[in-house]
Structure formats: C-alpha cells, structure tokens
Amino acid sequence: ETVVARSRNWPIPVYQRKWQSDDNYERQVRFLMENYTWLRPAFGSHNLRSLAHAVAWGRQLKVPSGAYEIQMLYGMGAEQAQLFSELGHRVRIYTPFGELIPGMAYLVRRLLENTSNDSFLRASFAENVSIEELLMKPALRAVTRAVTQPPPEPEAPSEKFLNEPNTDFSLEHNRQAMQEAIDTVSDELGIEIPLIIGGKRFDTKQTIVSRNPSRRKQIVGKSASATPEHVAQAVVAARSAFRKWSRTETQFRAEYIELAAARMRERRFELAAWEVFECGKPWAEADADVSEAIDFCMYYAAQIRRLSIPRQCDIPGEENSYFYRPRGVVAVIAPWNFPLAILTGMTVAALATGNTVVLKPAEQSPVIASMLVKILEEVGIPDGVVNFLPGVGEEIGPELIGSPDVDLIAFTGSQAVGLGINERAAKTDLRQDTVKRVIAEMGGKNAIIVDDDANLDEAVQGVLTSAFGYSGQKCSACSRAIVLEAAYDEFVKRLVNATRSLAIGVAEEPGTFVGPVIDEEAQTRIHEYIELGKTEGRLALACDPGELAQTGYFVGPHIFVDVPPEARIAQHEIFGPVLVVIKARDFSHALEIANGTKYALTGGVYSRSPGNLKRARAEFEVGNLYLNRGITGALVERQPFGGFKMSGIGSKAGGPDYLRQFVIPVNITENTLRRGFAPPEDKST
Ligand code: NAD
C-alpha cells in the first residue's frame, strides 16, 4: 500500500506506526462487541493487551462469553490459549493447510511480523519488557518507547518535479465530485465552438459535429470548421504575434503556463467529464489525461527556466555564450485519444520556448480542445499567440503544412498522416526562408513478452489492462502478447477468463472498464480486422457488447491466439480492443518476433530471469520498455514518452530533450581584449 501510494503521489492510506494499528484494533474490537447481536466477533491475536481489552469490552457491554471467540495459531502461544480457555472463553486454534507455496508465503509473513521490532511477542519473549509496559494503551506505550527510540527522520521537502496525482476514486467525495461534474456537463452538451484567429471568433458555414461515442445520437458540441483561407489568416496572426511573444521574458511565459495548469487543477473534474462525453473515456482514463496535461504545463515551465540560462564558455579575452531562440510559428496537429494532454503538451512546449501557435485539434475532439484554448485566454496569453483552427485534417492540413510561414510542425497521430506531413514539409517553396522541422509522434504495434518463468498473475493483469484499457485506443497499448511455449496454454486460459470479466459499458458509468471506440469509422475498421483475424488466427474470445452496440460505437474485447507473427493482424496498428497472442519457442525467438514490425514505440517483458531482462534491455527495439509491469500510462518526467523506427521522429514528450526541438541554438562570441577606450556614449540622443 505504501509503495503504491507513493508511486501515485497519494497520501499513504495505512497506518505507518505499529501502535496506530494496535490502537485501531482496539477501536474495531469495541465496534464488533457493540454489534455482537448481528456479528460474531472473533479476535485473532497473540497480543495479550489487545485480547485483554477485547475481554474487558465484552464484560463492560455484557456480551455473553459464548458470543465471541479468541483465535490463536497452532504452535504459538499455547500457554495463553490454555489460559483463556481456563478462564472460560471460547478459544479456537487454527492452522494453515493446503498448497505449499502459498503456505510458505504465509509463514514468511508470520516470521516477519513476530520478529519485527514492534512485535508484542518479541517484546515479551526476547526483550523481557515489563508487564506494565506491555499492557499499556498503545498510544501511551508509544510515548514511553519514544524516549528510548529516536523519532523517524522527517522527509526533506523535495525540489523534484512531482507528477499531478490522479484522483483516487475509491474515496467517496471524489466519486461525488466526478458525478456532479458529469451531471453539470450533461446539461451543457451541444455547445458551439468558433475558430479563434488573432483573438477574434469566427463561425463557419460548414461545421463539425462532435458526438458522444457511448450514445451516438447525443451531440456534445458543434464546432466551426476552418477553410484554407482561415489557415492563411491564422498563420499571419501567429507570425505577427511572434515578435512580442518571443521577446517576453522566459519567467513570464513560464508563469502563464503554470497559471494554466492551476486552472486545469481547479476544473479537473469538469475537464475530465467533457472527455468522458466527447471521447468515451472511462472515468479513470479521463482523469489521468487531465493530470498529464497539468504535468506537461508544470514540467515544461520548469524546463524552460533551466534552458533559458545561457551556457558560458569564457576564456581570458573572449566570452562565448550559447543559448536558444524560438523558431517561429508552430503548427500543432493533435489526435483525439489523449484529447487534452497531448494537445496541451505540444502547445505549451511551443509557448514556453517563445513560439506562437496555430492549433489544429482532431475532428473528434474539438470541444475539449476549445477548453484548453479558453484556459490559455483566461490566464492572459495575448491574442494571436494561440490561434485555434478546428477543421478537417485532409482539407486544411496541406495548407497549414505547406505555408511558407510555418517553421515547425508538431504532430501526433497515425503513421500514414505523419509520413505524409513529413514529406510535404520537406518540399521547399520559393517564398520560404527556413527549412521546416517536423516532430511526428506516430503509431505502434506494441508487444509484451511473457517468459516461461513469468508470474502469470501479474502478466495476465498487465497484458489485460495494457491491451483493453481505453478499448485499446492508446498509442502505447499492447496489441501483441508473445508467450513462451511452456507458459502459453496456461497464460491463454487465464487471460481469456480474466478478459471475459471486464465490464463493458457507457463511459459515464463509473464501473465501466471498456467503453466505446471513438467513432463509426473506427468501429468499422476494427470489425474488418476482426473478420480478417478469423482467417489468420484462432478467435479465442469475442466479447459481445450486446445492446450497447445499437446506441454507441462499441466493440467488445477480442483475443486471437496461435497467430503467425507476420499476419496482418499482428503487423498493422488496429487501434481497438483486439489482441493477438503469438507463441515463441524461446526468449530469443520472442525478441525476434517483438522486433519484427516497423514500429518501435512501447514494449514489455514479464520474466523472473535476470539474464532475459538484461537481454531485453539491450535488444528490445522500443522507445519505452517496461519490465514486469503494464506498458501504458507513461508519466511526464518519470517515463518520457516516444518511439523510433516508424513510430516517430523526435525527442520524447515529457522528457529533458523535448523543448530543444522548439528552439534554435545560437552561439555568440565576443572579443573582450581592450583595444583603447570606447568613445563615450552620446547621452543627448
Ligand atoms: P490521425 O493521424 O488520423 O489524426 C491526427 C491529426 O492529424 C488530426 O488532427 C487530424 O485531423 C490530422 N490530419 C489528418 N489528415 C491530415 C493531413 N492530411 N494533413 C494534416 N493533418 C492531418 O490520428 P488519430 O486517429 O487522431 O490518432 C490515432 C493515432 O495517433 C494512432 O495511430 C496512435 O498510435 C497515434 N498516437 C501516437 C502517439 C505517440 O505519442 N506516438 C500518441 C497518441 C496517438
């Protein structure tokens, strides 16, 4: 619990001092005894104070002695058990039996407990602590002991970047807040979104209708749809805002972005709720996307402060200063699957580094994109610095990419579109005076290798969440499980059963794990791949979304087994809840299969063999490799994200090199040897 909470930046939910849990035990004892008419209290402990306390409450509350029992482990505390029995209490002696391995784990736990510094048994048998102290109230005993034990070191406040914690939906008040946001947003559906160019709003004849993928008849919003003329105007606006914005102090630019993060934090449930409606993201996924957007803001703001300090390399008589200038106008072209985070990341990276932006969101998520633009306006980013151009990629993309005044294209999306953009941007136009730079984060066909000695409980869980979280519509999703022969049958059996238990439902429902896919086009494409899969492998599981498919774009999880590595369903990015399972002879073969695609984005290995994990580190060709855990959910700074081969060109998002792509390095050298006196400056002019 402690490790998991720390890794999520959540408060630690369990007691960290033994006396606190002893104290809590006593509170629970009282609760049980007070309710003995409904419950049958049983007290399993070798701590005599806890047991004596239970007996005392029993007497106080007049609980008949047959209404509760004391339990002790066979072979331990036999004398105490005898004593309680002689005093007329019901005593149950218990002993574990069954399989050896879980039994060993149990015994190890007992050993750790009984020998721990705070153990009652250790204190009474090994340390001969006085009976008075042993029987003290836990809180009092803690105070007495504290005199002899140094207090724990307080944790030093850290300067480190801390990821924005995701919401803990196990807490009622968080569930309520999210439900309220969903109710509020559901009343606001149908909003209209204009283009924003140079701070002015424009409606267009043609519009883009954004629908709730869980209920296709429900319209989330209607956005204007930019034309090539709007693109030209937006680029002019961005160019004219560039002069001032690029000269705005770095400190101020960073503060604008931090203010935007603060707004997102305040409105996190509302933003997540819009994602639930517009992109069919289940609660936890939508919430995590908002956290990531906040992280991008905070991280890039911190990075630009560091990056803006010039590097000096001086020698006597010469000063050398190395620093960065912004590039100019950045076209940000974003996908819908992380509708706030990716858009925010690319946009604030451009802004932090002093560039101005023409922002084109995906056709499927203009409403959430408009929320980001509104936040950037609210914090006071000047007009023209961010120009908002929702529109159809094929219609306005060429104009935007080809514009002679666009200096950099920051794109995240599919491989086909990314390669097209790269090609077009490479064509120089006579009006152009810079060579365009392209950052293109593209798709993946990510694999998890399951070794023959892997912990299958963990491997099944990791593959399942990586393959079917957000219906497999993450660029990092696992779409191939490569399993070694010896573990294959058992793994497949467990995976299929576990997948069958996933809750499919509308994204607004908190219990939904598998929501809809984004739109009809995606649904049709995924169904086509499923049909193809039936000819290329064996369909081991096809979950039926039932009636949901009548009202929303639902596709249930599908698992194909015995798939040849070169099959199309094992090579193409399907971007849906379709997983192929491939059998490998040995670990070398598994690596060969894993690397046998054009992509290199994410990958994972479940293994207990240090040798195989070491090989994976060296030979698995992916940008983000995860060992013995799921392969999605990269966090800013902790796991900078991005791939290579056909998965992307560019440095990792949320990593230390990302911002450098948005700047031009410049070096200035000054000869500082004095050659006579400089004439005094004429102060009169
Ligand atoms: P997409 O390529 O269809 O669209 C992405 C963006 O490009 C959209 O804004 C779209 O309007 C625009 N676009 C489309 N045609 C264009 C053109 N001719 N010129 C200019 N722009 C054009 O991708 P998508 O469906 O929105 O997103 C899913 C894809 O994104 C998947 O392939 C996924 O793997 C990938 N992805 C990659 C990463 C990563 O970090 N590597 C992250 C998220 C998504």
Side-chain angles (χ1 to χ4, degrees):
E1 294 279 5
T2 305
V3 170
V4 168
R6 283 230 168 100
S7 79
R8 294 178 183 171
N9 292 331
W10 283 354
I12 293 170
V14 290
Y15 297 117
Q16 289 172 278
R17 294 273 163 262
K18 175 71 163 62
W19 70 264
Q20 294 171 317
S21 67
D22 287 346
D23 209 32
N24 183 50
Y25 188 97
E26 296 192 358
R27 282 195 295 276
Q28 306 309 324
V29 160
R30 180 173 171 180
F31 174 82
L32 292 184
M33 286 300 203
E34 282 170 349
N35 289 287
Y36 79 92
T37 47
W38 318 101
L39 304 170
R40 188 189 162 81
F43 306 103
S45 177
H46 295 100
N47 181 328
L48 288 184
R49 152 85 204 180
S50 304
L51 294 175
H53 176 266
V55 169
W57 268 112
R59 285 196 189 134
Q60 173 85 9
L61 296 168
K62 305 207 169 29
V63 179
S65 66
Y68 64 91
E69 68 180 46
I70 286 165
Q71 301 187 344
M72 289 194 181
L73 179 63
Y74 174 74
M76 272 179 62
E79 281 172 29
Q80 281 105 315
Q82 187 62 30
L83 191 73
F84 277 103
S85 162
E86 282 167 14
L87 287 172
H89 297 287
R90 292 173 66 100
V91 177
R92 187 188 297 269
I93 306 291
Y94 67 97
T95 184
F97 78 100
E99 281 183 49
L100 184 66
I101 300 289
M104 291 294 286
Y106 175 80
L107 287 176
V108 169
R109 197 205 88 196
R110 287 231 74 105
L111 272 175
L112 289 174
E113 251 174 39
N114 293 345
T115 55
S116 100
N117 286 346
D118 288 322
S119 149
F120 184 91
L121 289 178
R122 177 182 164 132
S124 51
F125 290 120
E127 292 173 353
N128 298 321
V129 174
S130 72
I131 194 81
E132 289 77 16
E133 192 187 326
L134 283 175
L135 293 182
M136 272 179 191
K137 259 173 127 39
L140 198 61
R141 180 154 180 247
V143 176
T144 318
R145 299 213 104 196
V147 179
T148 49
Q149 284 178 0
E153 292 277 319
E155 275 186 36
S158 132
E159 297 228 324
K160 245 178 91 45
F161 170 81
L162 274 186
N163 295 95
E164 187 68 19
N166 291 337
T167 303
D168 180 356
F169 285 116
S170 70
L171 302 176
E172 166 127 30
H173 64 91
N174 286 334
R175 288 199 300 277
Q176 252 171 17
M178 185 70 186
Q179 189 58 55
E180 277 163 24
I182 288 196
D183 295 343
T184 312
V185 166
S186 97
D187 290 339
E188 291 171 14
L189 295 181
I191 57 171
E192 304 207 341
I193 312 287
L195 313 178
I196 304 177
I197 301 173
K200 295 204 184 75
R201 285 159 156 71
F202 296 90
D203 292 325
T204 57
K205 256 195 243 141
Q206 207 184 326
T207 53
I208 295 175
V209 178
S210 172
R211 292 173 186 281
N212 177 356
S214 301
R215 309 169 200 272
R216 58 180 155 229
K217 290 214 175 114
Q218 192 170 52
I219 293 177
V220 176
K222 274 192 190 147
S223 119
S225 180
T227 61
E229 291 73 52
H230 292 123
V231 171
Q233 289 167 22
V235 174
V236 168
R239 174 60 59 195
S240 59
F242 176 68
R243 199 179 150 78
K244 209 158 160 213
W245 182 249
S246 61
R247 293 176 187 185
T248 302
E249 293 249 355
T250 308
Q251 179 64 20
F252 294 149
R253 293 199 307 255
E255 281 173 13
Y256 278 122
I257 293 166
E258 285 163 347
L259 280 175
R263 292 266 162 152
M264 290 182 194
R265 221 174 267 129
E266 281 162 26
R267 295 173 54 186
R268 66 172 304 142
F269 291 112
E270 182 202 335
L271 292 168
W274 281 104
E275 296 200 16
V276 168
F277 282 104
E278 190 168 43
C279 295
K281 280 207 166 209
W283 285 26
E285 303 280 350
D287 178 76
D289 190 56
V290 179
S291 303
E292 194 180 4
I294 297 170
D295 280 351
F296 277 132
C297 293
M298 299 305 291
Y299 182 72
Y300 291 147
Q303 288 285 310
I304 192 59
R305 289 198 174 93
R306 249 169 259 157
L307 207 63
S308 64
I309 302 167
R311 196 197 65 160
Q312 292 299 131
C313 194
D314 302 339
I315 54 162
E318 186 181 280
E319 277 178 14
N320 291 294
S321 172
Y322 181 88
F323 64 98
Y324 298 104
R325 280 193 186 142
R327 285 183 174 266
V329 173
V330 177
V332 169
I333 304 179
W336 49 267
N337 66 335
F338 289 92
L340 186 65
I342 292 183
L343 189 75
T344 302
M346 294 193 287
T347 304
V348 299
L351 297 181
T353 41
N355 300 283
T356 54
V357 171
V358 176
L359 192 165
K360 200 213 91 55
E363 292 85 327
Q364 295 87 341
S365 54
V367 175
I368 297 157
S370 76
M371 310 268 155
L372 168 67
V373 177
K374 209 160 142 221
I375 287 175
L376 296 175
E377 274 185 342
E378 281 167 11
V379 301
I381 291 185
D383 290 348
V385 173
V386 178
N387 302 279
F388 181 50
L389 278 198
V392 177
E394 293 81 351
E395 288 173 14
I396 59 169
E399 181 74 20
L400 185 56
I401 314 297
S403 166
D405 249 341
V406 166
D407 301 286
L408 181 136
I409 297 129
F411 166 83
T412 306
S414 63
Q415 190 203 79
V417 175
L419 294 181
I421 289 176
N422 195 35
E423 199 177 317
R424 184 164 178 98
K427 288 207 180 89
T428 35
D429 174 319
L430 283 179
R431 296 168 301 167
Q432 201 170 317
D433 56 15
T434 38
V435 179
K436 285 180 197 174
R437 171 147 199 183
V438 176
I439 305 168
E441 304 292 344
M442 303 183 284
K445 188 72 190 173
N446 313 306
I448 294 182
I449 296 178
V450 180
D451 203 351
D452 51 13
D453 64 355
N455 177 333
L456 290 191
D457 292 341
E458 287 184 2
V460 166
Q461 181 68 16
V463 170
L464 182 90
T465 45
S466 306
F468 302 119
Y470 193 33
S471 303
Q473 302 174 107
K474 299 182 189 179
C475 41
S476 53
C478 169
S479 53
R480 297 180 296 154
I482 302 168
V483 188
L484 269 72
E485 239 162 24
Y488 191 85
D489 292 340
E490 181 65 16
F491 174 81
V492 167
K493 190 175 90 194
R494 288 207 212 171
L495 179 74
V496 165
N497 281 329
T499 307
R500 202 172 269 138
S501 72
L502 294 178
I504 308 176
V506 295
E508 297 97 288
E509 283 298 323
T512 294
F513 184 83
V514 182
V517 298
I518 189 72
D519 57 17
E520 194 170 352
E521 204 182 309
Q523 192 185 27
T524 310
R525 187 192 63 238
I526 298 164
H527 277 142
E528 283 166 8
Y529 271 110
I530 291 172
E531 287 310 309
L532 176 67
K534 291 177 187 165
T535 65
E536 292 187 323
R538 184 167 68 77
L539 184 58
L541 180 72
C543 296
D544 180 6
E547 287 183 357
L548 288 167
Q550 313 289 318
T551 46
Y553 307 119
F554 284 88
V555 182
H558 281 67
I559 298 177
F560 287 96
V561 296
D562 305 340
V563 178
E566 65 285 354
R568 278 163 295 174
I569 54 163
Q571 290 288 329
H572 297 183
E573 187 187 47
I574 301 173
F575 223 57
V578 180
L579 175 73
V580 303
V581 187
I582 304 171
K583 194 184 280 185
R585 286 187 303 278
D586 51 30
F587 198 75
S588 302
H589 187 211
L591 277 174
E592 190 188 310
I593 298 169
N595 290 337
T597 72
K598 291 190 170 181
Y599 295 102
L601 193 50
T602 63
V605 178
Y606 279 90
S607 174
R608 285 195 242 232
S609 149
N612 286 351
L613 293 177
K614 190 171 169 204
R615 277 193 68 192
R617 281 172 191 267
E619 297 173 38
F620 204 147
E621 291 173 0
V622 285
N624 288 66
L625 177 64
Y626 298 91
L627 305 178
N628 289 317
R629 52 152 280 176
I631 65 172
T632 56
L635 290 176
V636 168
E637 198 198 40
R638 251 202 259 172
Q639 295 110 9
F641 187 78
F644 56 100
K645 281 167 72 177
M646 285 296 184
S647 288
I649 19 174
S651 297
K652 286 170 174 301
D657 302 321
Y658 190 71
L659 289 190
R660 287 179 212 270
Q661 305 173 106
F662 290 77
V663 289
I664 301 162
V666 175
N667 194 75
I668 295 184
T669 302
E670 183 178 355
N671 175 359
T672 54
L673 278 182
R674 290 178 64 147
R675 304 225 183 100
F677 293 102
E681 276 180 48
D682 184 354
K683 297 263 164 44
S684 64
T685 52

